[in-house]
Amino acid sequence: MNRPMMIVAAGLVGVLFGLGLIVAGMANPAKVLAFLDVAGAWDPSLALVMGGAIGVALPAFALSRRRERGWLGARFDWPRATQIDRRLLLGGALFGVGWGMAGVCPGPALVLLGAGVPQALGFVAAMLAGMWLVGKLWPAK
Amino acid sequence: MTIDWIHFTPWAALAGGALIGLAAALLWWLTGRIAGISGLVGGLLTAPSDWAFRLAFTLGLIAAPLLWRLFAPLPEIQLSASFAWMLAAGLVVGVGVKLGSGCTSGHGVCGLARLSPRSLAATLSFMATGFITVWLLRHGLGG
């Protein structure tokens, strides 16, 4: 993972991901909130963002099941956890609450930071603090 | 339920979604890693051996709007939340994604795309509380 080629790939993919978020409208918190507000004037766009993303990623993951390594020789690092436990559901639920509070999730938060939105700095700093806190107080077994 | 046809942007949403999916597919095929943003970024806090990889991805996300601006003005960003409210939201998101081992990208895109029941459970839980939270804030609590 420390080969220069891998690091360059990570940077370029990060840019592509960020551009995708901007095109999709995910970098506009008001649009995200309009999707989450089913009782108001509902904007279903974000369902199509997810559909478009999964439509491309699903065959890419499916095709990789027949191989052990990717194009540059890196082994496919399949997530090993499969359990659906309290920790997962509580974490997911809390994340949803925070997402609904501002319409910002981790990827768009970084894009907003790059766009120079001042509140994004607070969001990202607090998000890192929250992650750090869980790692200290309630580390995964 | 009333659909807001004026703000509905199906083609941009699909195209942006496809780019996100392409990014996830490329990270997987080039580096063998899942494009889970909270995991990649959060991992930086523990000074892991692959910190340069994680940092490059993070900086790429931050650089995206800067690169965009070289060619076109950024689309509208509407954010009315105060700095204090954003601190609170960020803290809840940070605790949640760390406990739940992922966010919209790791569970919602990559996890669902590899048909993981665990990611489906996580996605359903954050979608549910996302809808409920916005409902409470906008309609439930005297909104």
Side-chain angles (χ1 to χ4, degrees):
Chain A
M1 226 23 67
N2 291 319
R3 284 155 57 199
M5 189 118 80
M6 293 289 165
I7 294 165
V8 170
L12 292 176
V13 168
V15 170
L16 184 65
F17 204 118
L19 295 176
L21 288 171
I22 297 171
V23 172
M26 291 285 297
N28 182 3
K31 192 163 182 74
V32 176
L33 291 176
F35 168 72
L36 292 174
D37 186 9
V38 278
W42 189 50
D43 178 354
S45 306
L46 264 56
L48 294 178
V49 176
M50 201 169 227
I54 293 172
V56 174
L58 191 141
F61 281 110
L63 288 169
S64 72
R65 289 190 191 274
R66 290 186 228 143
R67 311 177 36 154
E68 203 168 308
R69 292 167 189 278
W71 293 321
L72 302 178
R75 199 177 288 275
F76 289 122
D77 189 7
W78 291 99
R80 284 169 293 274
T82 54
Q83 73 278 18
I84 298 170
D85 52 15
R86 213 173 45 169
R87 185 184 173 94
L88 176 83
L89 298 175
L90 176 68
L94 271 177
F95 164 47
V97 170
W99 192 31
M101 283 172 70
V104 178
C105 53
L110 294 168
V111 172
L112 290 173
L113 189 65
V117 175
Q119 298 103 306
L121 191 60
F123 184 97
V124 170
M127 178 177 84
L128 292 172
M131 292 171 168
W132 179 84
L133 216 60
V134 172
K136 282 282 159 201
L137 300 180
W138 199 6
K141 280 179 222 103
Chain B
M1 180 182 290
T2 5
I3 292 188
D4 184 356
W5 293 108
I6 296 169
H7 292 102
F8 182 41
T9 48
W11 299 113
L14 274 173
L19 284 177
I20 293 167
L22 181 64
L26 283 174
L27 195 70
W28 185 244
W29 275 89
L30 291 171
T31 74
R33 299 286 291 263
I34 294 284
I37 295 177
S38 59
L40 284 171
V41 175
L44 282 170
L45 294 167
T46 59
S49 59
D50 61 352
W51 64 270
F53 178 88
R54 292 167 183 272
L55 186 64
F57 182 81
T58 307
L59 291 178
L61 276 166
I62 297 174
L66 301 166
L67 283 172
W68 183 295
R69 273 209 188 114
L70 294 179
F71 301 96
L74 277 177
E76 194 179 12
I77 295 172
Q78 302 150 283
L79 178 64
S80 52
S82 69
F83 199 89
W85 186 253
M86 287 291 280
L87 275 179
L91 186 67
V92 178
V93 165
V95 169
V97 295
K98 180 72 180 174
L99 272 181
S101 309
C103 59
T104 7
S105 52
H107 283 311
V109 173
C110 295
L112 293 189
R114 52 185 190 84
L115 308 175
S116 152
R118 176 174 151 90
S119 286
L120 177 62
T123 304
L124 290 176
S125 67
F126 69 68
M127 293 299 303
T129 54
F131 286 127
I132 292 168
T133 302
V134 172
W135 186 85
L136 282 173
L137 291 173
R138 290 197 171 175
H139 310 283
L141 303 171

